[in-house]
Amino acid sequence: MEGEPLRAGLRFAPLHCAGQTILEDLDGGLVLGQNEGMNISDNELQKHYGLLLGVSLPWQVAEVKLELAEKRVKICLVWQEGRKAPCPVCGQECALYDLAPERTWRHLDTMQFETILRARTPRVECSTDGVKTISVPWAEPGGRFSRLFERFAIDVLLCARSVKQAAGLMGLSWDEVDHILRRAVERGLSRREMESLSHVGIDEKSFRSGQSYISLLTDLKQSRVLDVVEGRTQEAAEALWDTLSAEQRGQIEAVAVDMWEPFLNASRLKVPQAELVHDKFHVSGHLNEAVDQVRRAEHKELMAAGDETLKGSRQLWLYNPTNFSEEQAVNFAALRDSGLKVARAWAAKELFSRLWTYRYEGAARRFFRDWFGWVSRSRLRPLVKVARMLKTHLENILTYLRHPITNAVTEGLNSKIQMIKSNARGFRSFDNYRTRILFFCGKLNLYPL
Ligand SMILES: [Zn+2]
């Protein structure tokens, strides 16, 4: 029959499966290029698909239908007539009640053919639980895709540069991808292990453009986002803490947090036993800002007198001197020894970083007292202001010596979140944003079983 002309005048090359030629009986039903299907009633092929899908009796592949024009394979699965089935609630063998209306599931493609599973799932009548639809072995309850397809889609999403790219590669719509993401996150959250949770970070991040924020709770040990809420108020931070159970909150030993009062208040309330540790990079950010203010004011004064000494020096005062080029090093050495105000401010900032290296609290306290005295006498107002703020928060700065934690650990996560944000351009809702952050940054077990 190979090469036999079809009605449409095309020649058809038959498919082969398990050594047999399929399509023994074309029955005149195949018209290429038009939207008509073709049923293949070949036992070997049905068994073959049964094996591929991992289904066994009482489920059977009843029909494999090729829709050539749409490049689609439809596989119809049926439950063996008269066979009892287990109740999905209690597991008891029950008589069939009826068959639910037909449902379809997208499965992994067969070659380049989109593959759809179809079945009418039996409903059982359980004496305890009433009429229930049984669960099917190829998909999770409520899923629109087979387990294998969901697994594959999750891998593609994790590897893709954007959700949009992944959707395009798999021929899925936004809603379908969203369905997969959401279910994967739900699965992951329900299985998440939290036993080792002891050091966490609470941090803010801008959301959308403008003055819109989200707050994140991060497991610093495992570098994973635990949850996200909208806003950065005390109420938002309390809601964030409430995403953990009382028992989980009870095992928190230390929290990395900046000097943002709403976060501090919420943490004192929700994890009273935990030590609060101010992020050392946040502290040095304040000191850098003070140095910069001193430089700007002094540069203005000098320029008024026609002195360009500080022109173009901004970066030099902020960079780490160990990263300077030779030329920068020479220029900076001259400025540093110039006796300018900004040079004194810079020295104060540099000196402060020694605090983080102390092992004993007593010595660190003495160091801070001396540093504070020196800065107070310096009359460098922006610096004095920061020093006073640090003094107010000193207890939660010294906790760093016991718990050397910082939110900078989450920097890698932040860049991922940034990518999620720029890829999405205008989330329909905060909830979509949260789902994606947890999918990509939650280190969850996302796969169906
Ligand atoms: Zn039951």
Side-chain angles (χ1 to χ4, degrees), residues 147-321:
R147 287 179 208 274
L148 281 172
F149 187 87
E150 282 205 60
R151 183 171 276 276
F152 171 73
I154 288 165
D155 283 336
V156 173
L157 280 160
L158 290 173
C159 296
R161 273 180 288 115
S162 70
V163 170
K164 198 179 165 192
Q165 186 204 24
L169 285 170
M170 294 182 287
L172 294 176
S173 67
W174 192 94
D175 279 332
E176 287 171 325
V177 171
D178 194 56
H179 175 81
I180 291 171
L181 286 169
R182 219 161 272 282
R183 286 167 51 86
V185 167
E186 269 169 32
R187 269 195 294 272
L189 289 177
S190 72
R191 295 175 192 157
R192 186 164 64 178
E193 304 261 342
M194 302 278 254
E195 280 74 31
S196 63
L197 200 61
S198 61
H199 293 75
V200 301
I202 186 165
D203 206 1
E204 63 176 50
K205 188 105 191 101
S206 75
F207 169 52
R208 299 198 179 103
S209 45
Q211 295 297 306
S212 186
Y213 291 90
I214 58 164
S215 301
L216 291 112
L217 188 66
T218 314
D219 176 355
L220 297 176
K221 271 188 173 170
Q222 296 195 44
S223 206
R224 57 178 178 169
V225 174
L226 295 172
D227 221 319
V228 191
V229 296
E230 208 168 359
R232 56 167 181 171
T233 59
Q234 180 171 339
E235 205 182 7
E238 284 180 31
L240 191 55
W241 279 119
D242 284 338
T243 61
L244 300 180
S245 69
E247 196 191 334
Q248 286 160 349
R249 289 200 302 270
Q251 45 181 37
I252 306 290
E253 291 170 28
V255 185
V257 60
D258 64 28
M259 288 173 247
W260 177 245
E261 270 325 306
F263 284 178
L264 296 175
N265 291 339
S267 303
R268 285 184 192 115
L269 197 69
K270 295 290 181 177
V271 284
Q273 82 289 352
E275 296 212 85
L276 305 179
V277 183
H278 289 316
D279 192 300
K280 69 173 181 172
F281 295 101
H282 194 75
V283 170
S284 73
H286 284 293
L287 288 166
N288 268 329
E289 178 54 33
V291 173
D292 202 46
Q293 282 177 27
V294 172
R295 179 196 60 80
R296 282 203 302 266
E298 192 170 33
H299 180 49
K300 215 170 156 186
E301 276 172 35
L302 290 173
M303 288 296 278
D307 184 340
E308 295 194 342
T309 308
L310 286 177
K311 201 176 171 187
S313 72
R314 181 173 182 267
Q315 293 304 326
L316 294 177
W317 303 106
L318 304 177
Y319 277 175
N320 181 348

Side-chain angles (χ1 to χ4, degrees), residues 15-24 40-52 61-64:
L15 295 166
H16 293 272
C17 178
Q20 290 194 352
T21 305
I22 305 154
L23 316 173
E24 283 159 349
I40 304 165
S41 53
D42 183 282
N43 277 331
E44 285 304 319
L45 184 70
Q46 286 161 11
K47 276 186 208 157
H48 181 68
Y49 264 104
L51 284 173
L52 278 178
V61 174
E63 182 188 280
V64 178

Side-chain angles (χ1 to χ4, degrees), residues 389-403:
M389 180 179 74
L390 296 180
K391 193 179 179 188
T392 311
H393 291 95
L394 185 63
E395 294 313 310
N396 294 331
I397 290 172
L398 293 173
T399 46
Y400 179 84
L401 308 185
R402 284 191 294 280
H403 304 280

Side-chain angles (χ1 to χ4, degrees), residues 87 89-92 94 126 128-129:
C87 162
V89 182
C90 66
Q92 184 187 173
C94 305
C126 173
T128 322
D129 302 298

Side-chain angles (χ1 to χ4, degrees), residues 24-39:
E24 283 159 349
D25 180 15
L26 283 175
D27 199 26
L30 172 70
V31 183
L32 289 172
Q34 288 184 24
N35 187 17
E36 273 183 41
M38 171 179 54
N39 295 326

